[in-house]
Amino acid sequence: MIVKQGSGALLPALLLGACATTSEEPAVRLPAVEVPASGETKPVGTVNDDAADDPAIWRNRADPSASLVLGTDKKAGLYVYGLDGEVRDFAAAGRLNNVDLREVTLASGQTAVLVAASDRGDEAEPRIALFWLDTATGKLRDLGTQSFLASGHRAMEAYGFCMGAPLGEGELARAYVVMKDGTVAESALTEANGAIRAAFTREIKVGTQAEGCVIDDATQTLYLAEEDVGIWQVDLGAAMLVPEALAKVGAQDGLVDDVEGLALARSEDGRAWLLASSQGDSAYAVFTLPGGANAGRFRINGGDLGGTSETDGIEVALGDFGPQYPGGVFMAQDGDNAPHAQNFKLVAWDAIRAALKLD
């Protein structure tokens, strides 16, 4: 594994062997409890294909029931839904894979919701697609795409994506694009004359294909899913970025490859959990933070809406989301929503917490 700082110097890092797995790894034996879906979105527009991929959640503090959720159709663009699952908007922006959003403070002092996604439209040059989200109408305003890698980088395809808090003066946020080869490129997002710019800062690489990532702003930690290996944690505040193994594919940690989406739940009292899509057995593993102790596994199943299978992206947000989701909402891509196209299922966080006895 190699870590490369913005200067281009190569630095030694942990060897992958500490978290490697093989085809002889025993199957997961940790039981998974079943939790029913509380809601679902309308199917994406691309039919008869693997198209729905990754969600994001915006909480309306003033009117929780008017909160919005987003989801990518990786063949066509980006949807905005209400909590009722109805479509509020669709941006026909092409091959957007993973999406994230953040409330940012502009140079004017105003706050706005910035939406960004990994854009796979140019396989020779990774790009970030950018939008403003009008939270009153649920409409997206397209800001175009940004290339961010310095000249001299090899051609790579943007794949996974997540955003974190700014780490430097004048920044709106930090963006993390995960390439298919396991490279994670960090860039600083800034505002200039009403436009958003992305500037490469540093990168880190794991050994094989990776996609899912999430940032814990409270601890300045990046969590990264290497699909056939497990989950890494990276201290973003350190002088040198060094991945440390948090959980590995196999029976002990309850993960069946591919390890796909990651999501982070942090409560007001400081407790935090990392959730991971264990795609190989259509389950979700939950880890207590810090430390990564396994807190249990669950599947979305039962109830009138059906379950999920082979989930790619997931997201979770805590807080009041109205009567149906008083403690928060968990959102997961459903890989088989037959006879309809793929969609996203919504689950009350309180139901997950009760099923896993997280209190």
Side-chain angles (χ1 to χ4, degrees):
M1 181 186 307
I2 293 173
V3 179
K4 183 184 288 184
Q5 303 288 63
S7 64
L10 298 180
L11 301 172
L14 287 179
L15 294 177
L16 280 173
C19 198
T21 187
T22 71
S23 59
E24 299 178 356
E25 195 81 46
V28 165
R29 293 292 182 263
L30 297 175
V33 299
E34 294 190 350
V35 183
S38 307
E40 65 178 342
T41 67
K42 292 291 186 182
V44 298
T46 301
V47 299
N48 301 320
D49 206 346
D50 179 24
D53 196 84
D54 191 53
I57 301 170
W58 174 76
R59 177 172 170 254
N60 187 329
R61 297 179 183 86
D63 185 2
S65 295
S67 298
L68 300 169
V69 298
L70 287 73
T72 57
D73 178 334
K74 61 188 176 186
K75 311 293 184 179
L78 178 62
Y79 284 90
V80 181
Y81 306 94
L83 290 179
D84 58 2
E86 295 295 326
V87 176
R88 299 292 193 267
D89 196 18
F90 174 70
R95 299 174 59 206
L96 305 186
N97 203 57
N98 283 190
V99 64
D100 203 357
L101 59 80
R102 292 190 66 86
E103 292 188 2
V104 298
T105 301
L106 306 178
S108 64
Q110 294 179 310
T111 59
V113 177
L114 179 65
V115 177
S118 52
D119 187 342
R120 300 174 68 183
D122 186 345
E123 295 185 7
E125 184 178 26
R127 303 183 73 85
I128 301 171
L130 297 159
F131 307 84
W132 291 125
L133 174 63
D134 185 331
T135 57
T137 64
K139 303 299 182 183
L140 292 164
R141 180 159 68 90
D142 193 340
L143 300 174
T145 64
Q146 279 282 309
S147 176
F148 55 90
L149 288 184
S151 60
H153 277 76
R154 64 195 180 282
M156 291 184 287
E157 178 184 347
Y159 198 43
F161 183 81
C162 56
M163 283 196 288
L167 299 177
E169 187 176 352
E171 297 177 4
L172 296 178
R174 287 284 171 108
Y176 299 83
V177 177
V178 184
M179 318 299 177
K180 270 197 169 183
D181 71 346
T183 300
V184 184
E186 179 192 70
S187 59
L189 301 181
T190 57
E191 176 197 6
N193 300 320
I196 306 299
R197 299 285 181 249
F200 172 78
T201 52
R202 53 187 175 172
E203 69 180 34
I204 191 169
K205 187 181 186 309
V206 295
T208 60
Q209 183 167 307
E211 181 179 3
C213 68
V214 68
I215 307 298
D216 185 358
D217 289 340
T219 60
Q220 290 190 340
T221 303
L222 162 70
Y223 295 96
L224 175 67
E226 188 176 358
E227 294 184 359
D228 294 335
V229 176
I231 303 172
W232 299 96
Q233 57 185 353
V234 182
D235 180 2
L236 297 175
M240 184 175 73
L241 300 182
V242 178
E244 297 180 356
L246 181 82
K248 64 179 291 187
V249 166
Q252 180 176 347
D253 289 330
L255 293 170
V256 179
D257 57 349
D258 293 344
V259 185
E260 289 284 342
L262 298 179
L264 192 136
R266 181 172 288 279
S267 63
E268 291 184 353
D269 62 10
R271 286 182 293 175
W273 300 270
L274 180 70
L275 290 78
S277 170
S278 176
Q279 189 182 70
D281 68 339
S282 298
Y284 309 94
V286 182
F287 303 92
T288 302
L289 298 177
N294 196 297
R297 304 171 75 246
F298 69 96
R299 289 189 176 91
I300 300 176
N301 202 15
D304 297 331
L305 301 177
T308 58
S309 61
E310 299 181 348
T311 292
D312 287 322
I314 60 174
E315 183 59 289
V316 65
L318 305 192
D320 181 10
F321 281 81
Q324 198 170 7
Y325 308 99
V329 61
F330 174 79
M331 191 172 175
Q333 180 259 9
D334 185 5
D336 184 3
N337 189 42
H340 307 291
Q342 295 178 341
N343 72 346
F344 299 89
K345 298 295 194 291
L346 284 71
V347 181
W349 172 249
D350 289 344
I352 297 170
R353 191 166 177 172
L356 296 179
K357 298 179 173 58
L358 296 181
D359 291 324

